[in-house]
Amino acid sequence: MAKILAIETSCDETAAAIVSDRQVLSNLVASQIATHQKYGGVVPELASRQHVTSIGQLIAAALEVAGLDWSAIDGVAATCAPGLVGALLVGLTAAKTLALVHNKPFIGIHHLEGHLYASYLSNPELTPPYLCLLVSGGHTSLIQVRGCGDYAVLGQTRDDAAGEAFDKVARLLGLGYPGGPIIDKLALGGNPDAFSLPEGNISLPGGGFHPYDSSFSGLKTAVLRLVERLRAEDIELPVADIAASFQAAVARSLTRRTLRCALDHNLSTISVGGGVAANSALRQHLQAGASQQGLRVIFPPLNYCTDNAAMIACAAAEHFRLGHTSSLSVAAQSKMPITQVMALYA
Ligand code: KG4
Ligand code: ZN
């Protein structure tokens, strides 16, 4: 069983972990939320600097918690795309250097493939084919998983990602950053039927709607208009009701498209990954809808939904098992489609 040490620094979490295939031996995350909170979002340069400060201690702690030294490690992995380039570079450079110094193979990992592999940590028996709903701060995609590194994108957002919509709506309600967890918590005390909000349908030229693609910018604008109207009428903002109604609209939109896509493609298992997979309304809606249709749905535990290095290590262990290792010249890239992950092992 391959033991992989992985580093994740694509955005605002510095993370290091060790897995043995699909078993987590250590998983450390240093959140930067306190650093970015006062700016209302991630400041890339501050993220890079904070990664530089934290990464060394986290790697040492990952080895210590796992009770291992370098002789037991089979490979070193790092996220190399997509993400903030300056932030990615910190983890990528650390991983390449450690691979070189300790004479271990290096495995570059696509961040979204990491989110996809989070489901294997809680459900090690999961096997393709299945459908993965990937919902993070930067991406919203329906991915047909045919095998390791073999992905087809069947649906995606045309504008804002689901997590981005949560963050923007939280900002316009004056709730702070990151918006997803704050809205989720507030929504518990609100009425999801208080306001009727659009589900972000994409019209097709010949009529009807795209079955799998979505839009979240219209939903965000609808919340903005609602807030403006209530303010103009001098009504105190019913923040919990707005949060609950917004969250329910996102959950309904994602659930409808995901179930339609799974049924159309004969995929009886759905996995969910990315920070928005932690959302309680999405979990409830999708679980209920999938059960009704006789489909199985897998949600990783909350700490594997948001950014972490265990998921990166898990994806790397699979690539390593298949003989996929990367050159030390693999670059950090801000954008890279998940369909091109095999280019990292050429
Ligand atoms: O996957 P992730 O940690 O980082 C990216 O790869 O983007 O996702 C972060 C996103 C943020 O937009 C955050 O607001 C959202 O996930 N998020 C949530 C929840 N927890 C995190 N959105 C809705 N409900 C949550 N409970
Ligand atoms: Zn992520």
Side-chain angles (χ1 to χ4, degrees):
M1 289 213 270
K3 290 191 180 60
I4 304 289
L5 184 147
I7 301 170
E8 153 65 43
T9 61
S10 65
C11 191
D12 60 346
E13 321 274 5
T14 319
I18 299 176
V19 306
S20 175
D21 281 345
R22 294 174 178 182
Q23 189 198 346
V24 180
L25 304 183
S26 60
N27 183 29
L28 290 109
V29 182
S31 167
Q32 300 184 358
I33 287 178
T35 303
H36 302 289
Q37 220 151 27
K38 54 180 170 291
Y39 303 103
V42 180
V43 182
E45 173 62 16
L46 292 183
S48 309
R49 288 190 218 172
Q50 190 92 40
H51 288 315
V52 171
T53 309
S54 312
I55 193 71
Q57 292 155 299
L58 280 175
I59 294 166
L63 285 162
E64 197 184 319
V65 171
L68 298 174
D69 62 24
W70 277 102
S71 62
I73 301 295
D74 297 298
V76 186
T79 308
C80 49
L84 303 169
V85 169
L88 286 167
L89 271 173
V90 178
L92 189 56
T93 309
K96 286 177 180 174
T97 309
L98 288 166
L100 198 62
V101 168
H102 296 287
N103 199 22
K104 311 283 180 189
F106 166 68
I107 304 131
I109 293 294
H110 190 287
H111 183 74
L112 295 187
E113 194 178 33
H115 276 305
L116 197 148
Y117 267 83
S119 291
Y120 292 93
L121 295 172
S122 53
N123 295 71
E125 85 301 340
L126 175 63
T127 24
Y130 61 90
L131 181 68
C132 179
L133 169 66
L134 258 175
V135 270
S136 70
H139 295 84
T140 301
S141 311
L142 281 164
I143 297 167
Q144 182 176 19
V145 181
R146 299 185 287 222
C148 176
D150 187 4
Y151 310 113
V153 177
L154 302 178
Q156 55 198 328
T157 176
R158 298 284 180 95
D159 39 55
D160 293 351
E164 194 178 350
F166 272 94
D167 295 336
K168 287 179 175 171
V169 165
R171 198 173 311 147
L172 75 88
L173 292 173
L175 299 174
Y177 163 87
I182 303 172
I183 289 189
D184 200 350
K185 211 166 168 190
L186 256 177
L188 289 175
N191 173 9
D193 300 317
F195 300 102
S196 159
L197 294 166
E199 284 178 32
N201 293 324
I202 304 282
S203 302
L204 290 172
F209 299 118
H210 193 288
Y212 318 133
D213 282 1
S214 54
S215 156
F216 289 109
S217 75
L219 172 57
K220 171 200 65 193
T221 308
V223 175
L224 177 65
R225 296 282 169 266
L226 172 65
V227 168
E228 284 171 349
R229 180 170 63 76
L230 294 172
R231 282 202 176 123
E233 291 169 17
D234 240 357
I235 297 172
E236 195 188 332
L237 282 189
V239 179
D241 286 348
I242 298 175
S245 302
F246 162 75
Q247 180 170 283
V250 174
R252 277 195 307 269
S253 166
L254 291 171
T255 297
R256 195 155 42 77
R257 287 166 173 79
T258 306
L259 296 179
R260 177 78 272 137
C261 189
L263 293 169
D264 288 352
H265 291 81
N266 262 328
L267 297 164
S268 57
T269 299
I270 299 164
S271 80
V272 191
V276 184
N279 185 260
S280 57
L282 176 63
R283 289 173 98 96
Q284 278 160 18
H285 278 75
L286 193 52
Q287 188 65 65
S291 305
Q292 252 175 28
Q293 301 288 346
L295 303 171
R296 174 185 181 220
V297 60
I298 295 172
F299 283 98
L302 299 192
N303 60 327
Y304 295 147
C305 290
T306 46
D307 286 351
N308 66 88
M311 66 185 195
I312 303 298
C314 184
E318 185 88 331
H319 280 292
F320 178 80
R321 193 176 66 75
L322 296 168
H324 306 160
T325 58
S326 306
S327 145
L328 290 181
S329 61
V330 159
Q333 292 173 72
S334 62
K335 290 197 164 72
M336 183 183 185
I338 195 171
T339 47
Q340 285 173 21
V341 291
M342 289 311 292
L344 299 172
Y345 314 109

